[in-house]
């Protein structure tokens, strides 16, 4: 490697950037990646030797000359073959296999109907840099460990290799402050790669041991203060980052910040606590012991507020036609929060970790909010098909949304799901692994150290889902079952500290202790004074050590018990260019579905894993070569660049096919609470069945709960609130069950009767209308009641309703359609009535009577009372008859931000409402949020957003 390249590698904080991709490496040209990769390619020309000059390179660095030496037809290729293997190699290198790359098409020209802006905004939890701060000087930016493949995708989208203008939005991460103490004058320069070469992989970064790197000083109890000037300085630095334009999200309590614009950062790790303590563990099929809920309430409030701050930051950058890509479990609420503010926004969400089955997700108290948050996206991507299947199943079983293999129907739109296994920057990994003489020396040293022995390599984070203990137990079983391999095989296991908040709280260090015990046991049973079969290194590796280890291995062993995408296996395949060592991969890893030619194992089946280790060790060279060719082709073609392009192409396809569909966003409770608190005059309008109480088979059983009574009474206690129940129920039912609350106003039978607050008299709005039509309707209803077992007729003063809730569902639906058709062809033509389809019922009523007319009356009357209309209006309903209310409110001249029209229920129907809630209990929770009566965990999030801090109820230790 020449000096310039070496200097760039040392000085750059990200060697995987766009500059390194200007010339396409021949190893990724179609001439190579689309044919079997065969070792020992030798073409009789000195000009085709590697850049190092000494030995022939595995890949030619001159594709034009390679084509000159390539056969143009199969017969020409077959001529002169010396063996069957040589024949296959020559046939695979014919010119007919060479394909020129397809030029990138401008997505705006290809999708004119979408009015794309050409910009992509990516949102990820943390920016690619870890930050150190010192007042008044430039920020120190270092490469952040972890999710290297994701960061590489950001660099690719920001490069000139794509037609997109890309911006990255992410949290700053925990900001550290280096010590002000200077190093002694005699301190030697850094000789390790700890601070010079950024990690290729989340666990491959070394621990600084040199004398120059300064330890971070503890942050004071008052928090870390960042001046306004330093905030602006960092934002300038990140905006001009040469790999990716980055916009930071600052996470802090609003009340702690200074009046001069300075920020106070307290307990910075709190923002990751809910995601990594609750979500990460549950998504990896681990459950906690029950608690009193206080800590969960506080962490949920921080999680909700963190997603809200991301949404606000993105809205500062957003332009119509922008695409927003959201990544991973820290930002599960963000799609819905963005959809609440911009209904037509283009959103794709990708989950990088596993998604659990419904049996596990049900254990999460905030499961509904999590699912509905993700459903704000147009496209939801997963690492494997199993995870996508679990997601759609959860949406159906938990939320009640219709779903199929392609996605979920949610409030008038289809949320598409897809499978997009992420890749790595294979070109860059190969360059780093094979063009560095330091790594060559390390490989030679490892081979010498373990001469005559097979090397099995494992590199994992030390947390419970990586399966390190299972790996060691399987290796012990292997040595027990196959004694001929004793003293001939060594397992080099490197474990790095976990980065997950939950695992860091393992006070007893149980995982580390278990691993240490197993290592000692195996070495005690099968080792000797001169050799230990397990070499365990609990430390970070430098980049050179990591790549040298992968190159030296005879087997890569990965035994994750639950994993998203294991990039170590992909890097291992690239590094096995010369040796073709097999990779043994857990079937519970998301990578297993991509690397189909790897040896798949069940990490819980110790004997099975032992057998597969023996199988890999005894595999013939030809078979290793064939398997490696397939794996290498997959890794180099399904790289991180292809993954980025695929996700965006799929999103554009989804958007183009659903250009007219708009999902109804989840009610923004923070916006409701904010407007409520600012208003002095408020009007509430509620439907009853399906809105305040659940739909039940027997209408007489739909009685108000004690929780509903408490919420309504608390709302009515404020003289600024006017509350109306606008229902299809008759006067007697409403009077009997809710009439004891004098502050309530009622409208019965869809607007036929009204009773004002404080009054006991009902006003009949239809008393002058001829009700002769009821006789004809009753005869038709009676006929269908006799045909449909379980159906019945409800007679009201101004309407007739035929219910089929108790009947067989399919029979009831069929008979309802037939009955509706007959009514519309007879009674509706002779009388001024309309036939309404409700939830498991048909109702006939006078045309001029509907809930919309009542809403118009109420808005007008409350406006005339003091000369101005209410400043806060919320209207909630669940079925077709409530659309009249929504239509009337939207037609009024009231400001849009004063009106909240909300449809209730897990239906895929199209609606005129601007918002939705899932079920009646959510309606009651929203009322409780406004009155302060409800302090459930669900309400803590919106409350923390409005107040800009953790609510007092959390700080005071109130339980759920």
């Amino acid at each position: 490697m020449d000096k310039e390249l070496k200097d760039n590698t040392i000085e750059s904080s990200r060697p995987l950037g766009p500059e390194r991709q200007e010339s396409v490496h021949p190893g990724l040209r179609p001439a190579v990646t689309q044919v079997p990769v065969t070792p020992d390619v030798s073409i009789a020309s000195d000009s085709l030797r590697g850049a190092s000059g000494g030995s022939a390179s595995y890949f030619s660095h001159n594709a034009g000359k390679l084509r000159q030496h390539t056969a143009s037809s199969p017969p020409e290729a077959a001529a002169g073959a010396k063996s069957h293997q040589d024949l296959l190699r020559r046939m695979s290198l014919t010119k007919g296999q060479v394909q020129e790359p397809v030029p990138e098409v401008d997505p705006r020209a290809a999708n004119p109907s979408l009015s794309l802006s050409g910009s992509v905004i990516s949102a990820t939890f943390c920016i690619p840099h870890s930050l150190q701060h010192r007042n008044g000087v430039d920020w120190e930016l270092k490469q952040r460990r972890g999710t290297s493949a994701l960061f590489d995708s950001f660099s690719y989208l920001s490069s000139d290799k794509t037609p997109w203008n890309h911006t990255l939005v992410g949290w700053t991460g925990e900001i550290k402050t280096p010590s002000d103490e200077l190093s002694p004058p005699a301190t030697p320069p850094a000789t390790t790669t700890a601070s010079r070469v950024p990690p290729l992989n989340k666990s491959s970064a070394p621990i600084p041991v040199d004398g120059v790197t300064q330890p971070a000083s503890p942050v004071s109890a008052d928090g870390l203060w960042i001046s306004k000037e330093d905030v602006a300085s960092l934002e300038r630095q990140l905006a001009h980052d040469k790999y990716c334009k980055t916009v930071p999200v600052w996470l802090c309590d609003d009340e702690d910040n200074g009046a001069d614009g300075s920020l106070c950062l307290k307990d910075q790790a709190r923002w990751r606590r809910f995601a990594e303590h609750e979500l990460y563990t549950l998504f990896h099929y681990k459950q906690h012991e029950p608690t009193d809920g206080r800590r969960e309430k506080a962490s949920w409030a921080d999680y909700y507020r963190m997603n809200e701050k991301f949404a606000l930051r993105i809205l500062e950058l957003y332009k119509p036609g922008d695409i927003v890509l959201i990544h991973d479990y820290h930002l599960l609420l963000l799609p819905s929060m963005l959809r609440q503010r911009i209904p037509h926004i283009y959103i794709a969400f990708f989950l990088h970790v596993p998604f659990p089955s419904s049996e596990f997700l049900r254990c999460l108290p905030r499961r509904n909010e999590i699912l509905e948050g993700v459903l704000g996206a147009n496209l939801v991507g997963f690492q494997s098909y199993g995870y996508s299947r679990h997601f759609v199943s959860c949406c159906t079983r938990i939320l009640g949304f219709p779903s199929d293999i392609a996605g979920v129907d949610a409030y008038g739109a289809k949320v598409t799901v897809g499978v997009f296994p992420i890749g790595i920057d294979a070109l860059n990994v190969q360059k780093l692994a094979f063009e560095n003489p330091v790594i060559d020396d390390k490989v030679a040293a490892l081979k010498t150290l373990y001469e005559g022995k097979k090397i099995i390599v494992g590199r994992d984070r030390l947390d419970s889902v990586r399966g390190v203990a299972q790996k060691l137990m399987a290796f012990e079983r292997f040595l027990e079952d196959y004694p001929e391999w004793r003293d001939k095989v060594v397992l080099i296991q490197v474990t790095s500290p976990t980065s997950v908040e939950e695992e860091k709280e393992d006070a007893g260090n149980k995982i580390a202790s278990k691993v240490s015990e197993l290592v000692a046991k195996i070495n005690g049973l099968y080792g000797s004074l001169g050799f230990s079969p397990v070499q365990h290194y609990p430390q970070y590796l430098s980049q050179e050590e990591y790549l040298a280890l992968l190159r030296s291995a005879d087997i890569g062993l990965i035994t994750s018990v639950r994993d998203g995408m294991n990039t170590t296996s992909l890097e291992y395949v690239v590094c096995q260019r010369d040796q073709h060592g097999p990779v043994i991969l857990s079937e519970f890893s998301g990578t297993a579905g991509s690397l189909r030619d790897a040896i798949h194992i069940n990490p819980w089946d110790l004997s099975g894993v032992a057998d597969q280790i023996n199988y890999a060790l005894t595999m013939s060279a030809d078979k290793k070569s064939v398997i490696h060719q397939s794996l290498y082709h997959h890794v180099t073609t399904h790289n991180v660049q292809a993954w980025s392009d695929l996700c965006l192409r799929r999103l554009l396809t989804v958007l183009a096919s659903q250009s007219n569909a708009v999902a109804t966003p989840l009610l923004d409770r923070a916006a409701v609470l904010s407007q409520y608190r600012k208003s002095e005059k408020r009007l509430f309008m509620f439907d009853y069945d399906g809105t305040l109480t659940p739909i039940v088979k027997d209408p007489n059983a739909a009685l108000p709960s004690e929780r509903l009574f408490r919420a309504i009474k608390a709302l009515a206690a404020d003289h600024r609130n006017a509350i109306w129940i606008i229902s299809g129920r008759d006067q007697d039912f409403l009077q009997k069950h809710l009439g004891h609350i004098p502050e309530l106003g009622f409208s019965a039978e869809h607007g036929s009767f009204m009773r004002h607050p404080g009054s006991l008299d009902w006003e009949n709005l239809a008393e002058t209308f001829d009700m002769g039509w009821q006789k004809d309707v009753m005869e038709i209803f009676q006929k269908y009641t006799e045909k449909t077992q379980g159906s019945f007729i409800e007679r009201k003063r101004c309407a007739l309703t035929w219910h089929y809730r108790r009947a067989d569902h399919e029979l009831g639906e069929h008979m309802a359609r037939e009955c509706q058709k007959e009514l519309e062809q007879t009674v509706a033509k002779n009388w001024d009535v309309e036939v309404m389809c409700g939830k498991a019922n048909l109702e006939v009523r006078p045309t001029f009577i509907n809930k919309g007319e009542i809403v118009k009356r109420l808005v007008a009357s409350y406006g005339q009372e003091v000369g101005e209309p209410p400043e806060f209006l919320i209207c909630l309903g669940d079925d077709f008859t409530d659309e009249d209310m929504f239509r009337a409110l939207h037609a009024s001249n009231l400001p849009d931000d004063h009106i909240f029209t909300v449809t209730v229920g897990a239906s895929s129907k199209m609606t005129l409402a601007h918002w939705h809630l899932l079920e009646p209990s959510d309606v009651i929770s929203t009322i409780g949020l406004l009155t302060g009566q409800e302090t459930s965990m669900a309400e803590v999030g919106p409350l923390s957003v409005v107040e800009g801090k953790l609510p007092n109820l959390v700080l005071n230790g109130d339980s759920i």
Side-chain angles (χ1 to χ4, degrees), residues 261-528:
S262 58
L263 305 179
C264 181
L265 310 182
K266 294 182 178 179
D267 186 16
Q268 298 180 67
R270 63 193 266 202
W271 303 105
R272 65 171 76 243
R273 200 157 287 151
F274 182 83
E276 297 185 357
H277 187 274
E278 305 296 331
L279 297 179
Y280 180 88
T281 51
L282 188 74
F283 282 15
H284 288 81
Y285 289 78
K286 294 173 59 183
Q287 289 182 266
H288 299 296
E289 293 295 325
T291 67
D292 62 7
R294 291 173 180 150
R295 176 175 174 177
E296 288 82 356
K297 181 183 285 189
S299 64
W300 169 253
D302 288 332
Y303 183 79
Y304 189 100
R305 195 148 51 103
M306 181 258 291
N307 277 261
E308 182 85 7
K309 286 179 177 290
F310 265 82
L312 296 177
R313 193 60 156 159
I314 290 172
L315 292 177
E316 293 175 6
L317 309 172
Y318 177 82
K319 304 184 301 296
D322 285 359
I323 289 175
V324 180
L325 302 180
I326 302 171
H327 295 274
D328 228 2
Y329 60 97
H330 295 89
L331 302 176
L332 292 171
L333 304 181
L334 184 54
S336 179
M337 289 180 171
L338 290 173
R339 182 77 58 198
Q340 288 170 346
R341 292 159 175 80
I342 309 175
H344 295 270
I345 191 171
Y346 302 149
I347 302 176
F349 175 85
F350 189 85
L351 185 67
H352 293 260
V353 298
F355 194 89
S357 64
S358 59
E359 287 77 10
F360 264 82
L361 193 67
R362 285 178 185 275
C363 301
L364 184 67
R366 302 272 59 81
R367 60 197 185 185
N368 287 12
E369 289 87 340
I370 293 299
L371 289 175
E372 288 219 321
V374 176
L375 288 175
N378 302 99
L379 173 68
V380 182
F382 298 92
Q383 297 280 15
S384 74
Y385 170 71
Y387 304 155
S388 69
R389 182 168 52 83
H390 286 163
F391 176 75
V392 297
S393 173
C394 287
C395 290
T396 298
R397 296 186 178 188
I398 296 176
L399 299 182
F401 287 107
S403 66
D404 54 32
I405 192 174
V408 182
D409 293 317
Y411 291 94
K414 181 86 167 185
V415 179
T416 303
V417 299
V419 179
F420 313 103
I422 196 171
I424 60 172
D425 189 350
L427 165 61
N428 211 54
V429 172
Q430 183 162 282
K431 289 175 65 177
L432 291 170
F434 290 96
E435 297 183 10
N436 188 342
V438 174
I439 295 179
D440 294 337
D441 294 341
K442 290 183 180 294
V443 171
L446 283 169
K447 291 292 187 181
T448 302
L449 181 62
Y450 298 107
E451 186 176 2
K453 293 179 173 59
K454 297 290 186 180
I455 301 175
I456 302 175
V457 167
R459 202 279 305 161
D460 307 274
R461 286 206 308 265
L462 196 59
D463 57 44
S464 55
V465 301
R466 302 301 169 181
V468 179
Q470 285 80 356
K471 181 186 303 184
L472 292 169
M473 289 188 286
F475 185 67
E476 179 186 1
R477 181 67 58 86
F478 164 73
L479 295 177
E480 177 185 343
D481 293 349
Y482 298 93
E484 65 272 19
W485 283 108
R486 296 173 189 174
D487 297 327
K488 297 180 181 179
V489 176
V490 59
L491 170 62
I492 302 178
Q493 176 62 48
V494 180
T495 55
S496 54
T498 181
S499 61
V500 179
E501 183 82 10
E502 160 70 8
E503 301 286 354
K504 291 177 182 177
E505 297 175 1
D506 180 16
N509 208 14
K510 298 176 183 176
I511 302 171
S513 299
K514 175 72 171 176
V515 169
S516 298
E517 290 172 5
L518 287 169
V519 170
K521 178 183 177 183
I522 297 170
N523 288 337
L525 287 174
Y526 302 106
S528 63

Side-chain angles (χ1 to χ4, degrees), residues 186-206:
T187 300
T191 57
T192 70
T193 59
S195 60
R196 295 183 296 157
V197 181
L200 180 72
N201 175 298
K202 64 176 64 178
S203 298
S204 62

Side-chain angles (χ1 to χ4, degrees), residues 638-906:
H638 294 75
N639 52 27
V640 73
Q641 293 85 357
W643 175 77
S644 303
D645 292 337
L646 177 61
C647 290
L648 285 169
R649 284 200 306 269
R650 183 63 188 281
L651 175 62
L652 295 179
T653 301
V654 169
L655 294 174
S657 65
Q658 302 175 3
S659 57
N660 296 324
V662 179
T664 307
L666 182 68
L667 178 63
D668 187 349
R669 301 190 195 196
V672 172
L673 178 60
S674 177
Q675 183 61 32
Y676 178 85
R677 289 184 172 183
K678 292 187 293 185
S679 305
E680 292 297 321
K681 190 176 184 183
R682 310 160 184 148
L683 176 59
F684 293 81
M685 292 166 281
F686 300 101
D687 176 40
Y688 182 77
D689 288 287
T691 301
L692 296 178
T693 61
I695 295 291
V696 294
K697 288 191 173 182
D698 183 0
N700 292 322
L703 303 179
S705 63
E706 285 299 321
R707 183 180 176 219
L708 174 60
F709 281 137
R710 289 195 302 271
I712 291 293
K713 288 178 180 178
L715 200 63
D718 191 332
H719 69 278
R720 293 171 292 183
N721 298 335
I723 308 161
W724 281 77
I725 309 297
I726 304 175
S727 173
R729 292 280 188 165
D730 60 23
Q731 304 149 272
D732 294 337
F733 182 91
L734 296 176
Q735 177 68 42
K736 178 179 179 181
H737 296 291
L738 293 168
H740 63 284
I741 305 177
E743 295 87 357
L744 296 187
F746 297 100
S747 172
E749 297 190 25
H750 299 291
S752 299
F753 299 89
M754 289 183 68
R755 199 197 84 171
H756 290 269
S759 171
L760 297 178
D761 299 326
W762 288 87
E763 178 183 356
N764 186 350
L765 303 180
E767 59 183 348
T768 61
F769 187 73
D770 185 359
M771 295 295 174
W773 54 270
Q774 290 190 343
K775 178 180 178 182
D776 298 338
V777 173
M778 182 62 74
E779 292 176 355
I780 296 175
F781 276 173
Q782 190 63 44
K783 179 174 67 174
Y784 283 91
T785 301
E786 295 171 357
K787 292 182 178 182
T788 311
Q789 185 178 2
S791 64
F792 61 94
I793 303 171
E794 179 185 6
R795 183 161 191 164
K796 306 173 183 178
R797 296 189 183 184
C798 294
L800 289 174
T801 308
W802 180 64
H803 295 274
Y804 55 92
R805 295 181 190 177
R806 302 174 184 171
D808 177 81
H809 178 72
E810 292 185 2
L811 177 62
E813 291 288 343
H814 171 71
M815 288 300 178
R817 288 192 295 270
E818 295 297 317
C819 183
Q820 180 184 5
K821 193 181 302 181
E822 183 172 345
L823 288 168
E824 289 174 346
Q825 293 175 353
T826 56
V827 179
K829 291 184 177 180
N830 299 326
W831 298 86
D832 190 13
V833 296
E834 61 181 338
V835 183
M836 306 292 296
C837 296
K839 289 187 175 178
N841 66 66
L842 279 179
E843 180 164 297
V844 182
R845 68 185 185 189
T847 303
F848 71 91
I849 294 177
N850 61 67
K851 293 182 177 181
E853 294 299 320
I854 297 298
V855 167
K856 292 177 183 178
R857 282 175 173 243
L858 293 177
V859 171
S861 63
Y862 280 89
Q864 293 172 357
E865 188 174 314
V866 293
E868 293 184 359
E871 303 160 286
F872 175 90
L873 296 95
I874 187 167
C875 179
L876 302 98
D878 72 307
D879 67 9
F880 183 80
T881 62
D882 300 310
E883 297 296 312
D884 293 329
M885 294 195 293
F886 305 149
R887 185 180 295 106
L889 278 176
H890 295 159
S892 67
N893 295 322
L894 301 176
D896 290 340
D897 58 345
H898 291 187
I899 300 174
F900 298 89
T901 52
V902 187
T903 187
V904 182

